[in-house]
Amino acid sequence: MHENLARIQMAERLGEAQSLRRGHHLARAQRLGRKAETAAQQARLALARAL
């Protein structure tokens, strides 16, 4: 009985940890995407000035 309860709780904790990890990766990917967009915009501006 107690083993099943412990197993269920452990599975829930693992699920929570995985979803938190996914959220962290998503936030990081969005930050990197914004940095890339900013860099691309600056490159376009520099190219426009050079012409």
Side-chain angles (χ1 to χ4, degrees):
M1 182 78 178
H2 290 294
E3 279 182 36
N4 286 340
L5 189 60
R7 206 173 288 131
I8 290 168
Q9 287 177 340
M10 205 169 81
E12 286 175 358
R13 297 266 160 16
L14 279 172
E16 285 174 21
Q18 285 174 342
S19 65
L20 284 172
R21 223 174 285 132
R22 269 195 298 273
H24 179 70
H25 284 305
L26 182 64
R28 192 165 166 225
Q30 287 173 341
R31 267 199 306 278
L32 289 173
R34 277 196 297 271
K35 278 186 185 177
E37 284 176 27
T38 304
Q41 192 174 21
Q42 287 174 348
R44 280 194 298 271
L45 284 171
L47 184 63
R49 282 193 208 107
L51 295 176

